[in-house]
Amino acid sequence: MDLSVIIPCYNEEESLHELYKRVLATCKKADVKTYEIILINDGSDDKTLSIMKEMSAKDKKLVIVDLSRNHGHQIALSAGLSQATGNHVFILDADLQDPPELLHPMLERARAGIDVVYGKRAVRKGETWFKLFASKAFYKTLSYLSDIKIPENVGDFRLISKRVHEQLQAMPEQHRFIRGMISWIGYEQEAFLYERDARFAGVTKYSFTKLMQFSIDAISSFSIRPLRISLVFALLGALLAMLLGSYAIYSYIFKDTISGWTSLATIITFFSSLQLICIGVIGEYIGRTYIQTKERPLYIIRQIYKTSGKK
Ligand code: UDP
Ligand code: MG
């Protein structure tokens, strides 16, 4: 199989026909001999599934993956990835915000040896200022908190090679932030600038809660720094406690203080900073356990060179 196209769909009944038409046309034009189009129905409660079934009855290249309920975009995408068999995998949204026609130029880059050709939005049409602002704030926080570089203004719209796809399949983590995981994998990755269109039909399927969940998954999958921050607070707290304690003792000796205040103030500041330090230390261990339980491969070897011959 030359190419797998993966499209997660949640209540996209209005877009499906147009989507299918454009994806099919672009696959034909892109000079790929064998390809499959994998549509994932992520627990839609409109006619999405029945339209998919109708379409697949007429076309053997369509693969429909019907999930048991709405699992969310990233999980739907993972389900599609687990079924893909192509040498290249093309991921796009069902709402036609990412033009399928870009397959051809993206494939050219891929054929030139680029493993991940990721769409980077030069222009984003039809998005609210709130979404643009939230997205900017999110990527700033993410790049501060995490150890690897995750490019800004980039979604899951991309073309990936077989070896990247295989590595992705070898990452069994539960909370999935796929674009970050692909960044983490490495190899040759390149941005492809494009104009992001407005939705073809319907409204965004990312509710505010889903967006929050997505951001928390992203930050916590790539960093244990938030846990470490409690240690920083603890040390600051300890410093403050020392200052407060000395002030309390100073007041006891040189000023008229209410009896009991000095001892109370020093005890409270001392023990609360002690607690913060302990929480910080526990956080450090929890962080390590967390990283370990993800069971990611330690590293990915690009290639091993060996010259055979007599020694
Ligand atoms: N989607 C999904 N499950 C969800 C939410 C979204 O499969 O729970 C799909 C949706 O059908 C679309 C893609 O994920 O194909 C991106 O969603 P959307 O266009 O609503 O997000 P936005 O472009 O507004 O960020
Ligand atoms: Mg969209």
Side-chain angles (χ1 to χ4, degrees), residues 8 10 12 42 70 73 94-95 97 131 199 204-205 210:
Y10 176 49
E12 301 283 4
D42 186 17
N70 178 248
H73 179 212
D95 57 5
Q97 281 195 281
K131 178 120 189 225
R199 251 180 175 275
T204 175
K205 303 298 177 317
K210 271 190 183 159

Side-chain angles (χ1 to χ4, degrees), residues 240-252:
L240 209 68
M242 251 162 54
L243 291 176
L244 258 167
S246 346
Y247 174 69
I249 293 168
Y250 164 84
S251 308
Y252 177 69

Side-chain angles (χ1 to χ4, degrees), residues 143-162:
S143 72
Y144 167 71
L145 288 175
S146 59
D147 312 320
I148 62 152
K149 220 174 143 287
I150 296 164
E152 211 176 310
N153 266 328
V154 170
D156 290 310
F157 178 47
R158 58 191 60 214
L159 185 70
I160 62 176
S161 68
K162 197 175 183 79

